[in-house]
Amino acid sequence: MQAVEVKSFLEGKLPGTVIEVEGEGCNFQLNVISDELAALSPVKRQQSIYAHLNPWIADGSIHAVTMKFFSSAAWAERT
């Protein structure tokens, strides 16, 4: 699995969300930029991503995912 596949898939499932993905194979690090998700609790944020990735996790295509969440303003301050 490639990072571009994960990025394209998640952005298609989460309109208005920008996802920066690093990694390849079965280990990925996600920077999720979304005002909507940033407003949720940490558990709810992760659940919103895992809900879409679970089929790939279940079949072994993805083994490990780490996530960081940012509002668009917080992301702009980082760059």
Side-chain angles (χ1 to χ4, degrees):
M1 175 150 301
Q2 298 295 317
V4 68
E5 291 175 88
V6 175
K7 176 181 174 59
S8 176
F9 175 77
L10 287 174
E11 287 181 346
K13 296 289 185 181
L14 300 163
T17 300
V18 175
I19 308 215
E20 298 296 325
V21 182
E22 294 180 15
E24 61 182 38
C26 59
N27 298 309
F28 296 96
Q29 302 81 43
L30 309 178
N31 288 321
V32 182
I33 302 98
S34 167
D35 291 331
E36 182 179 331
L37 293 177
L40 299 175
S41 72
V43 170
K44 294 287 185 188
R45 292 176 195 166
Q46 289 187 353
Q47 287 174 337
S48 67
I49 300 297
Y50 281 126
H52 299 296
L53 295 181
N54 275 338
W56 285 342
I57 293 168
D59 75 9
S61 297
I62 294 178
H63 174 71
V65 178
T66 57
M67 299 174 233
K68 292 183 182 177
F69 292 85
F70 302 90
S71 66
S72 52
W75 183 254
E77 289 176 10
R78 274 189 95 237
T79 58

